[in-house]
Amino acid sequence: MIKSEYHIAKMDCPSEENMIRMKLDGIQAIKKLEFDIESRNLTVFHSEENEEILSRLESLNFGARLSDSYAVDENDFAPESSEVQSKLLWTVLLINFGFFIIEMTTGLISRSMGLVADSLDMLADSFVYGLSLWAVGSTVMRKKKVARLSGYFQLTLALLGIIEVVRRFIQFEAMPDYRMMIGISILALIANAVCLLLLQKSKSKEAHMKASMIFTSNDVIINSGVILAGVLVLVTQSKYPDLIIGSIVFLIVVRGAIRILKLGK
């Protein structure tokens, strides 16, 4: 048995972990994957030397590099429980999709593009978790087809969002409701922290999670950005902080869509 350790510089949230899992799916030599999001490290246990592992990781453009590789005894690790992993994926999928609906609805009501954009980021994470669940028992071709459809759908929504932001920049638009922006974003931040807590606890021998793990997540940074936009809308009495943050988040969603499309190749 071979134990290979990879440092993945841009792996900073659970959805990226699941993208990596999907990308490596189908390599028969792989027996187990261990993720350490806090340190951005991936450990792969595999039965033989396999250059395809690094090749697939590099294709995601997450900054993957091989740190070390050496032989270990087969008794040094226990196989992953697919049932536990499936339950966790369903839990975080439902949390993310639920907040997609909440943020999209309140974003339209409050006229906040920041909330609308953040809702699409939640939807993107839902796609990734859903694709991970779909991958179980599915053919590689079917999984790739669903990944492409999800990526194009997400990309379309993000581009429509960017067009709407441009329209609101040019035309007169009422100031968004900063109270709803701040309140809903705080709830979304808590939801993301809970998801990260659940996924990290499942892989940690410790009963608690270090606070630093929470703040490595892009999702939490985005939530904090929308909260900041709400505060700036209040202070400046202007629509522009919301539009600026919304633009940034839409671009992040576009980047996520491109990553999902790479899974379909």
Side-chain angles (χ1 to χ4, degrees):
M1 184 65 60
I2 300 171
K3 179 179 180 180
S4 297
E5 298 173 353
Y6 300 88
H7 181 72
I8 305 178
K10 297 179 182 179
M11 181 182 71
D12 56 10
C13 67
S15 62
E16 288 164 354
E17 169 189 332
N18 283 285
M19 292 182 75
I20 292 169
R21 286 183 180 275
M22 285 186 285
K23 196 66 178 178
L24 296 180
D25 183 45
I27 300 180
Q28 298 299 320
I30 295 177
K31 303 303 177 184
K32 184 180 180 182
L33 302 174
E34 289 183 351
F35 290 83
D36 182 351
I37 294 178
E38 181 189 18
S39 301
R40 294 177 171 84
N41 289 328
L42 164 64
T43 301
V44 182
F45 293 89
H46 48 108
S47 58
E48 57 189 33
E49 292 289 349
N50 195 309
E51 295 182 359
E52 188 179 1
I53 296 174
L54 180 58
S55 175
R56 290 197 187 186
L57 289 173
E58 288 176 336
S59 70
L60 288 171
N61 293 324
F62 287 173
R65 62 176 175 80
L66 178 64
S67 302
D68 200 2
S69 186
Y70 49 90
V72 295
D73 191 280
E74 289 192 21
N75 298 319
D76 286 349
F77 70 97
E80 287 184 300
S81 172
S82 58
E83 183 178 351
V84 172
Q85 182 71 14
S86 179
K87 287 181 179 179
L88 281 168
L89 287 172
W90 272 114
T91 300
V92 295
L93 186 155
L94 292 173
I95 291 173
N96 277 273
F97 190 74
F99 266 88
F100 155 68
I101 295 173
I102 292 170
E103 286 194 299
M104 177 61 75
T105 303
T106 55
L108 294 174
I109 293 172
S110 65
R111 304 177 301 280
S112 169
M113 294 308 293
L115 281 178
V116 171
D118 194 23
S119 75
L120 293 185
D121 186 61
M122 288 287 200
L123 180 63
D125 287 345
S126 299
F127 279 151
V128 172
Y129 297 129
L131 284 169
S132 296
L133 287 164
W134 179 272
V136 178
S138 296
T139 63
V140 174
M141 287 301 295
R142 181 181 296 178
K143 184 182 68 175
K144 287 184 175 183
K145 182 179 180 180
V146 174
R148 285 196 297 270
L149 290 174
S150 299
Y152 285 127
F153 179 67
Q154 181 183 328
L155 186 61
T156 300
L157 291 178
L159 292 176
L160 288 174
I162 291 172
I163 293 171
E164 178 63 12
V165 167
V166 172
R167 185 193 70 78
R168 293 191 183 199
F169 260 111
I170 297 171
Q171 298 181 3
F172 172 79
E173 192 73 27
M175 190 177 70
D177 185 339
Y178 62 86
R179 289 164 296 187
M180 195 172 290
M181 288 176 64
I182 295 171
I184 297 299
S185 293
I186 288 174
L187 292 177
L189 189 150
I190 293 171
N192 275 316
V194 168
C195 288
L196 196 56
L197 173 63
L198 290 172
L199 290 164
Q200 286 298 113
K201 266 190 174 181
S202 71
K203 305 174 186 70
S204 175
K205 295 179 181 178
E206 300 176 352
H208 66 284
M209 180 181 65
K210 297 178 182 178
S212 60
M213 288 184 183
I214 295 176
F215 293 100
T216 60
S217 171
N218 273 338
D219 298 329
V220 176
I221 294 172
I222 290 171
N223 296 146
S224 302
V226 179
I227 293 171
L228 175 62
V231 172
L232 292 175
V233 167
L234 169 61
V235 172
T236 63
Q237 293 295 297
S238 168
K239 65 181 180 180
Y240 294 112
D242 174 60
L243 295 178
I244 292 170
I245 291 296
S247 300
I248 294 171
V249 178
F250 278 129
L251 291 174
I252 291 173
V253 173
V254 168
R255 184 188 67 174
I258 293 172
R259 288 178 174 179
I260 291 177
L261 287 171
K262 287 180 180 178
L263 294 175
K265 291 182 178 180

